[in-house]
Amino acid sequence: ALPVPRIEAMGWVSRRLPTLAIAVILSLWSFLLRNRDGHRTQMAPIRTKTDDATRKRAAPARSVDDPRAFILDVEEDEYCNVSYVNRTDVHRCLIPAYPADGMTQGVASIVTVPRTEALRLLWRGSAFEMFPKSFLKEGRIAWEGRTFNNLKQVYSAIVAARSCGMMVLLPRTVRYESHVTSVGKSPSFVDCIDFRAAPVPDPFPVYKREEFCNISSVLGEIHSQSIDDVAKYWHYGRDSRFFPLPPDESFFVTARVEAKRAVMTYWGIRPGSYRCQPCLRSLSKTAVAYIRGGDIFKGYIPWFKGQPPLDFYAKAIGHANENDTVVLSSDYLNPVVEALKSYSPTIEESGNNNSAHFETRVGDPFDGVLRFIFCASVIIIGNTSMGPIAMFAPNADSVYMGRLTLKHVIHHDDAQKLDAYITKPLPQGSWEVMNESAGMSSLLAAVSSKVKAFAYVPPDDDYTPYRGHEWNNTPQQRKEMISYKGGLIVKLN
């Protein structure tokens, strides 16, 4: 008697199969219509089905009010898996989340985007490529400078994307140091930032939005004239000629903060790690001083690359007052390296810290050097292109900059003002960080309150390697780098 109901049920199904099929087709068609414009539901997150309670995060949890790093809604092993660079049919996109109030809380997802979808958005004007026509020919990208100058250019493109509420497609590699690895062996962790859900003021402040955000047209015209000029555009022209973003507009400050977070994610500078290599626990209580050597002390001597004196490093090390200090340099060409190698801090410089340990490391692999720098609790850095990123590094508690560009000289005879800047910050707008184009608002436009930023200032402009166009690497200047004692450590925030 048992088979009869089963047969009747099968008959019921067979009689209604056409109706069920039509219903399924209509539901599928409705779904496709709702998502035909590239809504987020089409983009499958790069993650595995792991219970949230046991999910490994890409970094230790941070409070959402720390603007230096996105909290990623993605597993650590997935974030660190860069196998996407071997595929030409997808992009890997960072998408910040925006709650109802329109202000990002520092949370972002990483999703895969089909190349066909990216092309559709390019055609619609909702996206642009940082380097036009470069997706399949990254080796032909003509970057301006090396690693950290390249990251500055990436940052500029991200600022433009955020300001316009667009998606930007980025190169998957930058020009890494030649003695470390060949181009293409150190890829970015994402190659796309999607700000299409980000709030953008309307009407657009100061500028007409159509002119400001017609980025693909501008880039296409530049690219047609010279491939080299595209990198120069991002490096020099974004805040002056092509994108004169007003530094006093709060919207653009927000845009820059979000762009900084995105650059950190792009290159793997994360809380607790550098390029997915965990930070050594000891570095959480270590001051790392990086001394620029190399080409500026031989052959190529750019006038703007004068380096800080021994006095800066001695005072910064003493002011930081960490138990351990590591000094890093690529070579001994900078005379300060040899001086610091035999350096013994005075009681005043060590802050009466009798247990202070001092180590000098010269010639370490570049990747290892960067891991030291971006994992350290205290970063002490000279006049170098990595300075702007160092001041936003998510593992630092304090950063000391060896050189600023001051809009007004601070004089020795203005003792009251000098004392004030030691206890309260230099006014915003009165200084710029080196390695930024003149007139540009700095990458430090909104230094996080989570990191204490300091700078070394020689009063009266009396340190000649910093004065005007006077850096020539002369024997007299090299001696001055060791003998000069007049600078001050001042607060920046």
Side-chain angles (χ1 to χ4, degrees):
L2 290 177
V4 175
R6 185 168 69 243
I7 293 173
E8 289 179 351
M10 290 174 64
W12 180 90
V13 171
S14 63
R15 288 194 302 271
R16 288 161 176 77
L17 186 59
T19 303
L20 292 171
I22 291 171
V24 170
I25 292 171
L26 288 174
S27 298
L28 179 61
W29 179 250
S30 175
F31 174 82
L32 291 175
L33 284 176
R34 289 196 308 271
N35 293 280
R36 69 185 187 278
D37 290 327
H39 290 274
R40 300 289 182 262
T41 51
Q42 281 186 291
M43 303 175 183
I46 303 178
R47 59 173 69 107
T48 55
K49 295 181 179 178
T50 305
D51 185 81
D52 285 343
T54 60
R55 178 181 293 172
K56 288 172 60 183
R57 291 287 177 181
R62 276 187 174 271
S63 62
V64 295
D65 64 341
D66 187 344
R68 293 180 293 168
F70 279 118
I71 298 174
L72 299 180
D73 184 18
V74 63
E75 297 179 36
E76 180 181 8
D77 56 349
E78 291 292 343
Y79 171 71
C80 296
N81 182 352
V82 292
S83 60
Y84 83 99
V85 299
N86 298 317
R87 298 181 59 180
T88 59
D89 61 330
V90 297
H91 290 276
R92 198 178 197 216
C93 208
L94 177 75
I95 305 180
Y98 295 91
D101 62 6
M103 298 299 292
T104 177
Q105 297 298 304
V107 179
S109 299
I110 295 179
V111 303
T112 53
V113 178
R115 176 63 177 172
T116 52
E117 172 67 5
L119 289 172
R120 189 183 69 83
L121 294 173
L122 287 170
W123 181 79
R124 289 183 58 190
S126 301
F128 68 92
E129 289 183 293
M130 178 182 172
F131 289 95
K133 304 177 182 178
S134 66
F135 181 60
L136 299 178
K137 301 177 181 178
E138 293 219 8
R140 296 183 59 192
I141 291 176
W143 288 99
E144 186 75 7
R146 292 182 292 187
T147 309
F148 288 93
N149 282 317
N150 298 169
L151 292 178
K152 172 189 170 183
Q153 293 147 39
V154 170
Y155 164 84
S156 297
I158 295 173
V159 169
R162 174 61 186 89
S163 300
C164 295
M166 299 174 70
M167 174 190 286
V168 57
L169 304 179
L170 303 167
R172 291 176 169 181
T173 60
V174 300
R175 180 188 265 174
Y176 217 49
E177 300 297 326
S178 58
H179 65 279
V180 179
T181 180
S182 60
V183 172
K185 296 298 178 67
S186 293
S188 63
F189 291 88
V190 295
D191 68 341
C192 163
I193 317 291
D194 190 354
F195 290 114
R196 287 179 298 143
V200 177
D202 194 15
F204 211 72
V206 184
Y207 306 99
K208 293 181 180 178
R209 184 169 181 177
E210 293 78 11
E211 297 176 4
F212 186 91
C213 296
N214 192 13
I215 302 172
S216 292
S217 177
V218 173
L219 293 176
E221 183 177 348
I222 296 172
H223 183 270
S224 66
Q225 297 173 5
S226 172
I227 295 177
D228 293 349
D229 286 345
V230 177
K232 289 182 173 65
Y233 163 75
W234 292 120
H235 194 73
Y236 299 110
R238 182 258 307 169
D239 269 1
S240 53
R241 294 169 299 178
F242 298 102
F243 288 119
L245 305 183
D248 56 341
E249 289 282 349
S250 60
F251 167 69
F252 290 112
V253 172
T254 299
R256 289 186 175 94
V257 169
E258 291 184 31
K260 292 173 197 173
R261 288 175 175 154
V263 168
M264 298 297 163
T265 308
Y266 172 84
W267 195 242
I269 304 174
R270 300 284 303 153
S273 66
Y274 173 73
R275 292 193 60 79
C276 287
Q277 294 297 311
C279 292
L280 299 175
R281 187 179 299 274
S282 60
L283 289 175
S284 65
K285 294 295 181 182
T286 299
V288 171
Y290 177 72
I291 302 178
R292 175 75 152 84
D295 55 356
I296 61 172
F297 289 95
K298 61 179 181 180
Y300 172 66
I301 305 173
W303 60 266
F304 55 88
K305 283 291 187 179
Q307 294 298 306
L310 173 64
D311 186 53
F312 159 62
Y313 295 98
K315 287 176 177 173
I317 290 168
H319 191 274
N321 196 29
E322 291 284 17
N323 284 337
D324 296 296
T325 299
V326 178
V327 176
L328 301 167
S329 186
S330 59
D331 50 52
Y332 285 98
L333 294 175
N334 187 322
V336 171
V337 178
E338 191 65 51
L340 273 176
K341 189 175 180 180
S342 56
Y343 166 73
S344 178
T346 64
I347 292 178
E348 180 183 359
E349 290 169 344
S350 66
N352 290 311
N353 186 353
N354 296 324
S355 63
H357 175 259
F358 200 84
E359 179 184 3
T360 302
R361 303 170 66 105
V362 177
D364 280 8
F366 190 57
D367 251 353
V369 169
L370 296 180
R371 187 178 169 201
F372 262 102
I373 293 171
F374 292 111
C375 285
S377 59
V378 176
I379 301 174
I380 302 171
I381 198 161
N383 182 10
T384 165
S385 59
M386 72 177 74
I389 286 182
M391 294 196 72
F392 211 71
N395 294 301
D397 297 321
S398 303
V399 176
Y400 294 79
M401 291 289 289
R403 185 174 185 183
L404 294 179
T405 298
L406 295 174
K407 297 193 175 176
H408 303 285
V409 174
I410 299 177
H411 297 286
H412 273 293
D413 56 7
D414 194 352
Q416 184 176 1
K417 183 176 289 188
L418 287 174
D419 289 341
Y421 290 151
I422 296 173
T423 57
K424 70 177 185 180
L426 282 172
Q428 283 286 334
S430 68
W431 55 272
E432 295 173 353
V433 67
M434 291 297 294
N435 296 292
E436 296 295 300
S437 300
M440 291 174 61
S441 67
S442 166
L443 292 185
L444 314 179
V447 178
S448 169
S449 61
K450 302 296 180 181
V451 60
K452 299 304 178 185
F454 303 92
Y456 180 78
V457 176
D460 283 322
D461 201 19
D462 58 1
Y463 179 58
T464 64
Y466 283 4
R467 188 186 301 160
H469 292 60
E470 293 188 22
W471 170 247
N472 294 303
N473 191 33
T474 63
Q476 292 78 11
Q477 287 180 323
R478 293 166 65 85
K479 289 180 181 178
E480 186 179 0
M481 292 177 68
I482 305 303
S483 62
Y484 180 82
K485 304 290 185 183
L488 298 169
I489 299 292
V490 301
K491 297 179 70 174
L492 296 181
N493 67 342

